[in-house]
Amino acid sequence: MHDRLTQSMRASHLLALLFVLAALGLAAMGAATGDTFYLRLGTEALIFAGLALSVDLLLGYSGALSLGQALYFGIGAYVSALTLMKAPSFWLAMGAAFLATLVAAVIGGLIANRVRGVYFALITFGLAQVMAKVVYNTRELGASDGMIGIPVIEIGFGPFSVSAGSPVGFFLIVLAIIMGLYALTAYLLDTPFGRVLTALKANEKRVPFLGYSVWRARMAAYVLAGLIAGLSGALYPMLRGFVSPELMFFATSGNAVISVILGGVGTLIGAIYGSVLLVILKSIIGSWTEHHLIVIGALFMACVMFLPKGLVGFVRPSIEGWLSRQPQAAPVPVEPIGLTQAIAKSGSAAS
């Protein structure tokens, strides 16, 4: 018998498997038809899905609403761009983005985790806005124009390599990285660390009575979310060939929060579905009218009113019910042993 969190995770994993199969189908269609538009759009959606995943980790599992998660997404993007312009290496760019985001997330966590609730949201919003303005006014970083001319790199895997300019190849690499980040997050949430985060969201004041440090758990979640956002942002300049301060603005963080609410807060895979849905809606509606944000805002309000648990939150209970009806492996019977046998076994083990 699995507990409720584990059962929910199993349902999310099934939805993640369906997502990967659909993504592989898109890649196969793109490779067969040579149509790169949807592959590039899908790659961008996956990159922003990483940002949404980091928001859901904080909001859905520890109850902390971050309005400035784009800060780490932007830091990862800028550090990756600077590294690629100096040394066009995928692994070097990802490593530099990881270290820079780690330092930034630790500093940001030390500041933001001093407060709770709406004050936490406002501080994360302020941190991102301050950093965005600094980048916006820094000529060496391209100021308001951002940085352009980022080279197309070859991504090496031992004797093989894939060009970042290949729509199919880069789509598959981004898919593997984002789903790898999902798998890592899901694994951590299925450990005692995940249970502590859930306890934080339920009742933070009682967590110390269980023997856990609230501050350490919140810091760990904040830094992990920052790293996920940073590594996702590091992929952006490889796709678009430029970076701009807009990546750190509130609009980017706000879109990530909307993606999480569309997909379902606390569902993890819902953040990925929500991000893909939002990018597709913006692309389709944006081709009809320049006032696409009005339509997206109306859809967002409708989702909040009629699907308060999001798309995945709506379908996941059915999947959980189906999984619970599946036959499970019978527990291995343990034969009771007597005191004499126990002493004999302990003696043989000691020898």
Side-chain angles (χ1 to χ4, degrees), residues 48 51-52 55 59 65-74 118 120-136 244-259 261 278 282 293 300:
F48 283 107
L51 176 60
V55 172
L59 178 61
L65 172 61
S66 172
L67 295 179
Q69 209 60 15
L71 167 64
Y72 306 109
F73 186 84
V118 67
F120 177 86
L122 291 176
I123 280 191
T124 53
F125 169 78
L127 286 172
Q129 290 300 105
V130 168
M131 193 64 189
K133 284 297 181 184
V134 169
V135 173
Y136 190 87
S244 70
E246 293 181 355
L247 294 176
M248 296 184 181
F249 284 169
F250 173 69
T252 305
S253 298
N255 284 335
V257 174
I258 291 174
S259 299
I261 294 175
L278 183 62
K282 288 173 66 177
L293 292 180
F300 174 68

Side-chain angles (χ1 to χ4, degrees), residues 172-196:
L172 293 176
I173 289 174
V174 173
L175 175 66
I177 291 174
I178 298 301
M179 296 313 297
L181 291 174
Y182 163 80
L184 173 64
T185 308
Y187 170 75
L188 291 176
L189 290 175
D190 204 23
T191 62
F193 169 69
R195 268 59 176 180
V196 173

Side-chain angles (χ1 to χ4, degrees), residues 20-339:
V20 171
L21 292 176
L24 292 176
L26 175 65
M29 289 176 58
T33 61
D35 188 354
T36 62
F37 174 77
Y38 291 105
L39 280 177
R40 289 290 185 186
L41 187 65
T43 307
E44 182 175 323
L46 284 171
I47 291 173
F48 283 107
L51 176 60
L53 187 66
S54 72
V55 172
D56 194 32
L57 173 62
L58 289 175
L59 178 61
Y61 291 89
S62 68
L65 172 61
S66 172
L67 295 179
Q69 209 60 15
L71 167 64
Y72 306 109
F73 186 84
I75 289 175
Y78 267 91
V79 171
S80 173
L82 289 169
T83 306
L84 291 173
M85 295 181 78
K86 297 292 183 183
S89 167
F90 172 80
W91 300 108
L92 192 59
M94 295 297 287
F98 178 88
L99 292 176
T101 309
L102 176 62
V103 173
V106 170
I107 296 173
L110 290 173
I111 298 172
N113 281 318
R114 295 173 62 86
V115 294
R116 302 287 187 271
V118 67
Y119 301 105
F120 177 86
L122 291 176
I123 280 191
T124 53
F125 169 78
L127 286 172
Q129 290 300 105
V130 168
M131 193 64 189
K133 284 297 181 184
V134 169
V135 173
Y136 190 87
N137 293 294
T138 302
R139 184 176 302 174
E140 289 75 12
L141 296 177
S144 59
D145 295 329
M147 299 172 62
I148 60 175
I150 298 165
V152 178
I153 58 172
E154 292 288 328
I155 305 172
F157 298 94
F160 306 102
S161 66
V162 177
S163 172
S166 167
V168 178
F170 193 60
F171 174 82
L172 293 176
I173 289 174
V174 173
L175 175 66
I177 291 174
I178 298 301
M179 296 313 297
L181 291 174
Y182 163 80
L184 173 64
T185 308
Y187 170 75
L188 291 176
L189 290 175
D190 204 23
T191 62
F193 169 69
R195 268 59 176 180
V196 173
L197 291 186
T198 305
L200 281 180
K201 185 180 179 182
N203 193 328
E204 182 178 309
K205 293 181 179 178
R206 293 186 179 180
V207 171
F209 294 101
L210 300 174
Y212 295 98
S213 167
V214 172
W215 185 84
R216 288 179 183 175
R218 287 176 64 95
M219 273 296 293
Y222 190 88
V223 172
L224 177 61
L227 287 174
I228 293 173
L231 290 175
S232 304
L235 298 168
Y236 187 84
M238 301 177 195
L239 172 69
R240 293 301 179 195
F242 73 93
V243 290
S244 70
E246 293 181 355
L247 294 176
M248 296 184 181
F249 284 169
F250 173 69
T252 305
S253 298
N255 284 335
V257 174
I258 291 174
S259 299
V260 171
I261 294 175
L262 282 176
V265 178
T267 59
L268 210 60
I269 190 62
I272 297 176
Y273 275 100
S275 177
V276 172
L277 179 62
L278 183 62
V279 170
I280 292 174
L281 284 176
K282 288 173 66 177
S283 177
I284 295 176
I285 300 174
S287 64
W288 294 342
T289 173
E290 62 180 3
H291 305 294
H292 61 281
L293 292 180
I294 297 176
V295 181
I296 291 175
L299 289 173
F300 174 68
M301 288 188 291
C303 181
V304 171
M305 292 174 62
F306 300 108
L307 293 174
K309 294 183 179 179
L311 297 174
V312 172
F314 178 71
V315 302
R316 197 169 67 173
S318 301
I319 299 175
E320 291 177 16
W322 178 77
L323 289 174
S324 64
R325 292 191 294 272
Q326 299 304 304
Q328 300 179 9
V332 178
V334 179
E335 296 182 358
I337 59 177
L339 180 60

Side-chain angles (χ1 to χ4, degrees), residues 5-19:
L5 182 58
T6 303
Q7 192 75 349
S8 299
M9 278 296 177
R10 291 181 68 204
S12 291
H13 297 340
L14 184 59
L15 290 170
L17 178 62
L18 294 176
F19 181 86

